[in-house]
Amino acid sequence: LREHEEFTKVKNIAKIELGRYEIDTWYFSPFPPEYNDCPKLFFCEFCLNFMKRKEQLQRHMKKCDLKHPPGDEIYRSGTLSMFEVDGKKNKVYGQNLCYLAKLFLDHKTLYYDVDLFLFYVLCECDDRGCHMVGYFSKEKHSEESYNLACILTLPPYQRKGYGKFLIAFSYELSKKEGKVGTPERPLSDLGLLSYKGYWTRVLLEILKKHKGNISIKELSDMTAIKADDILNTLQSLDLIQYRKGQHVICADPKVLDRHLKAAGRGGLDVDVSKLIWTPYK
Ligand code: ACO
Ligand code: ZN
């Protein structure tokens, strides 16, 4: 399988240009066959159309009138904005985003219908426009209570806290919907690390402040994190005991502090007062 991946990867796109970055790709992505012979693709950073040659992109930039992702700006705090893009209303943008994302996502298939998804595109904005740093996709209706399908921080922006921001944002949307949520499986290694960090920090901070007993159900209601994910997180931190047929959370303050320190930096926070959004109907 590895050999096959390496082989397809060589035949596929090795680099992309996006805004002011040239980025080495990680994985195969099923671009239309006519793009398979070019080592580098040039993306318009706003509409995400891609081209084979730099001159084509330069011509495109003269006439492309987008300066931010299509769709509604649902969050703005400082220079950070989040746009909600409906895959049904912006099909080509949704498809372009999926092609781009697959270059960095190993295990996700791309044969789904963008119509069924909303895309939450996070941007850093300046006087030249809103530059995408990452995104997550979300099914409009999920039977399995997924609140996130795919998540990506573009490589030049990784390890700066944007991933945690995107995850926190997905749970804020779930809270507004009055539902619990969980990310679609499987998670990549980096995805799992980021989620574990998020769950650990959110849960331990509540346990630290809370006086007296608290149940997993209560934690789930407060955070919109699915009960299974809470149980697994607390179990992996060795904070759960099983007494008289029930899971009991043991929250010794010293132990909590130790785990919190190990959980690392908190990252960028979502300021909920700046989220203007109503659930999709
Ligand atoms: N090495 C070790 N730990 C890492 C790394 C790394 N390269 N990257 C992230 N982490 C861990 C760290 O614990 C980090 O917290 P810390 O910086 O406080 O130590 C935590 O993950 C999150 O870091 P962020 O800066 O908030 O996350 P980032 O913006 O880098 O985005 C993401 C994380 C989205 C998973 C990114 O790595 C990415 O886009 N990867 C490629 C695509 C992917 O794998 N997506 C998830 C697939 S699963 C799914 O979509 C449901
Ligand atoms: Zn464009």
Side-chain angles (χ1 to χ4, degrees), residues 79-80 82 122-124 131 133-136 151-154 156-169 194 267-268 270:
T79 56
L80 214 52
M82 184 75 93
L122 183 63
C123 296
E124 278 287 359
H131 313 283
V133 307
Y135 88 104
F136 69 88
I151 179 170
L152 169 73
T153 303
L154 289 167
Y157 296 97
Q158 286 176 6
R159 294 282 344 235
K160 297 178 196 291
Y162 292 113
K164 273 175 264 177
F165 182 93
L166 290 166
I167 292 171
F169 202 93
S194 303
L268 302 158
V270 178

Side-chain angles (χ1 to χ4, degrees), residues 143-156:
E143 300 273 319
E144 299 91 344
S145 71
Y146 294 140
N147 64 352
L148 179 148
C150 287
I151 179 170
L152 169 73
T153 303
L154 289 167

Side-chain angles (χ1 to χ4, degrees), residues 99-168:
Y99 284 133
L100 171 64
K102 181 64 193 69
L103 293 168
F104 307 100
L105 281 157
D106 195 10
H107 52 284
K108 294 280 180 182
T109 44
L110 263 186
Y111 304 103
Y112 47 59
D113 204 344
V114 293
D115 280 27
L116 307 178
F117 289 84
L118 296 164
F119 299 91
Y120 294 92
V121 185
L122 183 63
C123 296
E124 278 287 359
C125 304
D126 59 28
D127 49 3
R128 292 176 302 121
C130 294
H131 313 283
M132 172 170 134
V133 307
Y135 88 104
F136 69 88
S137 55
K138 174 177 169 130
E139 267 178 285
K140 290 174 181 173
H141 305 285
S142 170
E143 300 273 319
E144 299 91 344
S145 71
Y146 294 140
N147 64 352
L148 179 148
C150 287
I151 179 170
L152 169 73
T153 303
L154 289 167
Y157 296 97
Q158 286 176 6
R159 294 282 344 235
K160 297 178 196 291
Y162 292 113
K164 273 175 264 177
F165 182 93
L166 290 166
I167 292 171

Side-chain angles (χ1 to χ4, degrees), residues 206 210 212-224 230:
I206 295 175
H210 193 85
N213 282 334
I214 190 164
S215 67
I216 290 177
K217 172 79 170 61
E218 285 170 303
L219 285 171
S220 179
D221 291 342
M222 291 164 83
T223 59
I230 295 178

